[in-house]
């Protein structure tokens, strides 16, 4: 029973995999030598690091705890899918706008209302898990009918557009902040365009580090702006417990955040399809279990005080570049993340990231999320000469960007949630009654 649930990972050399379907690819059920597995695990930690840390910072969560829960969530996912789907679970950006709305977070320091957001995150995880259980019974065809590329592309684009005002507002308080934020944007853009290889793939992390260094030079070195206080790093311990938090279950926050499950379903489905295509393996039979794994990981994270999690496109990008899909690599990455989560020194470094630098990176990241939605349309050849597609996309973008919120008694559905459900319902309605 054990051997049938988990694969028997076959050892291969680093030069080429023995996957008969795709020569040169290290398949999910293959393994590299130990040293190479460790190296790849570190690379995946670096790939997820920027976004997994950035998301909790924007919501006022403890980054240490969120990194820890990303590792635990990835291990839980690995077990649920029987080690057959290569994925890393990190902090989801789909929660940011709704968490800020539910908690009234102002963007400075720890969020005092994190427990309220955690209740909503747990509720989202419960809905997500229920969807996964249903998918294991009936399959995914109903999801693909409800959320074709025109819908998923619009929903993904809305996430970035809905968050745009948050990023801009956070860097426009002073002229100095504006200049440093724009310098950060240019730095990340230059890395994206003028570098190659691993540096280009880690453009957010490398750009953040370079912008951080430039900010320190201008402030601590030249005396302009607010200097970085490095004493907090020196005084932080190397090992210690992160700040755990207990969720508070309030209906308004739960109703606001639970619909994010629909977005996570669309993300996870797309990621599994992408990995299946790259490995030339049909992973559809694991989709339901992957949803359950992601949903349970979100519940566990929310119960401990962390953000909701999702499968990470950043790590899929690393797999695409290296052609290494061995699921054992993600066990290594998850264990490294767990160790980082128990290091206050690591958390202190993150806490010193200047607001303008963080805001500049946010502008890039949120913009990339929005453009990813358009990329889904392009790659799936969505036909915008068809009025149904045109109306669904147009209405979804305006509902989400304008943060159209629906209030029904204690139930409140924010802009991203309204846009998501609106896109699904509008597509179904127009599909039935006309083109």
């Amino acid at each position: 029973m054990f051997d049938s649930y988990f694969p028997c990972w076959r050892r291969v050399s680093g030069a080429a995999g023995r996957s008969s379907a795709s020569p040169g690819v290290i398949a999910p059920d293959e393994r590299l030598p130990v040293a190479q597995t460790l190296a790849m695990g570190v690379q995946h930690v670096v790939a997820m690091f920027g976004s997994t840390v950035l998301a909790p910072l924007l919501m006022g969560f403890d980054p240490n705890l969120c990194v820890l829960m990303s590792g635990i969530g990835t291990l839980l996912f690995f077990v649920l899918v029987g080690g057959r789907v290569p994925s890393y679970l990190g902090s989801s950006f789909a929660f940011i706008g709704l968490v800020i709305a539910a908690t009234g977070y102002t963007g400075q320091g720890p969020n005092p209302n994190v427990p309220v957001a955690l209740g909503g995150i747990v509720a989202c995880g419960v809905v997500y898990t229920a969807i996964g259980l249903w998918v294991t019974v009936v399959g995914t065809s109903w999801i693909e009918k409800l959320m074709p590329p025109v819908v998923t592309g619009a929903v993904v684009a809305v996430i970035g557009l809905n968050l745009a005002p948050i990023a801009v507002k956070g860097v426009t308080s002073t002229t100095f902040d504006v200049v440093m934020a724009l310098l950060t944007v240019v730095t990340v853009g230059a890395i994206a365009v003028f570098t190659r290889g691993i540096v280009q793939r880690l453009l957010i992390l490398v750009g953040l580090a370079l912008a951080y260094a430039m900010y320190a030079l201008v402030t601590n070195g030249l005396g302009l702006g607010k200097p970085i206080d490095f004493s907090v790093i020196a005084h932080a311990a190397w090992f210690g417990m992160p700040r755990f938090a207990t969720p508070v279950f309030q209906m308004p926050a739960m109703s606001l955040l639970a619909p994010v499950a629909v977005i996570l379903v669309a993300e996870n489905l797309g990621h599994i399809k992408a990995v299946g295509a790259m490995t030339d393996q049909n992973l559809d039979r694991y989709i339901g279990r992957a949803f359950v794994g992601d949903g349970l990981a979100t519940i566990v994270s929310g119960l401990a005080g962390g953000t909701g999690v999702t499968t990470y496109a950043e790590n899929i990008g690393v797999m695409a570049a290296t052609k290494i899909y061995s699921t054992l690599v993600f066990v290594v990455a998850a264990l490294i993340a767990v160790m980082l989560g128990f290091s206050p020194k690591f958390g202190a470094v993150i806490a010193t990231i200047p607001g303008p630098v963080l805001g500049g990176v946010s502008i890039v990241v949120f913009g990339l999320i929005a453009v990813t939605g358009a990329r889904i349309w392009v790659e799936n050849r969505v036909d915008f000469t068809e009025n149904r597609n045109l109306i669904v996309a147009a209405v979804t973008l305006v509902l989400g960007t304008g943060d159209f919120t629906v209030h029904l008694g204690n139930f409140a559905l924010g802009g991203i949630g309204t846009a998501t459900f609106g896109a699904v319902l509008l597509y179904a309605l127009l599909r039935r009654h006309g083109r």
Side-chain angles (χ1 to χ4, degrees):
M1 179 66 180
F2 180 83
D3 288 338
S4 65
Y5 186 76
F6 289 98
C8 296
W9 288 275
R10 297 164 291 140
R11 178 170 175 170
V12 297
S13 68
R18 291 200 297 267
S19 172
S20 59
S22 302
V25 170
I26 306 298
D29 61 349
E30 295 177 329
R31 61 185 176 92
L32 292 165
V34 174
Q36 293 182 41
T37 299
L38 291 174
M40 282 303 305
V42 171
Q43 180 164 294
H44 277 288
V45 170
V46 174
M48 70 82 183
F49 179 84
S51 297
T52 297
V53 168
L54 180 60
L57 287 176
L58 296 175
M59 293 183 279
F61 283 60
D62 179 9
N64 265 56
L65 180 59
C66 293
V67 169
L68 169 64
M69 297 315 298
S70 78
I72 292 175
T74 299
L75 292 174
L76 181 59
F77 180 90
F78 174 86
V79 172
L80 264 293
V81 299
R84 298 179 185 275
V85 179
S87 283
Y88 191 92
L89 272 57
S91 303
S92 172
F93 281 79
F95 289 92
I96 296 176
L98 297 178
V99 166
I100 291 174
T103 61
Y105 181 55
T106 59
Q108 300 294 325
N111 188 337
N113 295 318
V114 160
V116 175
L118 296 178
I121 289 171
V122 172
C124 175
V126 170
V127 173
Y128 193 4
T129 302
I131 294 174
L133 292 173
W134 181 249
V135 168
T136 60
V137 176
V138 302
T140 61
S141 59
W142 63 279
I143 295 178
E144 295 170 356
K145 290 179 181 178
L146 285 175
M147 294 186 290
V150 65
V151 172
T152 55
V155 170
V156 172
V158 155
I159 296 174
L161 295 174
N162 183 270
L163 295 171
I166 299 171
V168 173
K169 183 180 178 181
V171 299
T172 54
S173 57
T174 67
T175 301
F176 179 79
D177 287 353
V178 171
V179 171
M180 293 308 302
L182 293 178
L183 182 60
T184 301
V185 171
V186 172
T187 300
V188 175
I191 293 170
V193 174
F194 298 114
T195 64
R196 294 292 182 268
I198 187 64
V199 174
Q200 187 181 62
R201 291 196 294 273
L202 302 178
L203 74 162
I204 298 299
L205 180 63
V206 176
L208 178 66
L210 289 178
Y212 182 103
M214 288 187 288
Y215 186 96
L217 177 63
V218 172
T219 57
N220 296 64
L222 301 179
L224 302 175
K226 182 181 178 180
I228 300 172
D229 182 9
F230 291 107
S231 65
V232 295
I233 301 176
H235 295 148
W238 281 103
F239 300 102
M241 297 294 289
R243 297 193 305 270
F244 292 100
T246 303
V248 172
F249 297 97
Q250 295 183 0
M251 187 54 66
M254 293 169 65
S255 62
L256 192 65
L257 290 168
V260 175
V262 177
I263 302 172
L264 300 182
V265 164
E267 284 183 337
N268 203 340
L269 180 65
H271 290 168
I272 293 175
K273 293 285 189 180
V275 172
M278 289 186 288
T279 59
D280 199 20
Q281 294 186 9
N282 189 340
L283 300 176
D284 287 2
R285 61 188 180 279
Y286 303 117
I287 289 176
R289 284 156 60 179
F291 289 173
V292 173
D294 202 352
L296 290 178
T298 294
I299 293 173
V300 171
S301 180
L303 289 174
T307 60
V309 296
T310 186
T311 52
Y312 255 26
E314 291 90 336
N315 297 89
I316 291 176
V318 172
M319 288 189 283
T322 62
K323 295 185 178 181
I324 297 173
Y325 300 90
S326 173
T327 53
L328 291 178
V329 168
F330 292 93
V331 175
V332 173
L335 293 175
I336 294 173
V338 169
M339 289 189 292
L340 287 175
F342 286 108
S343 175
K345 183 78 72 175
F346 163 73
V349 172
I350 300 303
T352 62
I353 298 175
V357 172
L358 186 62
V361 171
S362 300
I363 291 173
V364 176
V365 171
F366 297 162
L368 290 175
I369 294 173
V371 172
T372 298
R375 182 178 176 179
I376 292 174
W377 291 335
V378 173
E379 291 180 347
N380 290 276
R381 296 180 175 85
V382 175
D383 183 7
F384 282 109
T385 63
E386 185 177 347
N387 286 341
R388 178 183 64 206
N389 292 338
L390 194 63
I391 294 298
V392 168
V395 172
T396 302
L397 291 178
V398 172
L399 289 177
T401 305
D403 200 24
F404 189 93
T405 303
V406 175
H407 297 277
L408 297 172
N410 291 330
F411 179 84
L413 194 63
I416 294 178
T418 302
T420 300
F421 282 100
V424 172
L425 294 175
L426 189 58
Y427 183 85
L429 178 65
L430 297 181
R431 184 180 185 182
R432 180 175 302 171
H433 293 292
R435 295 190 65 188

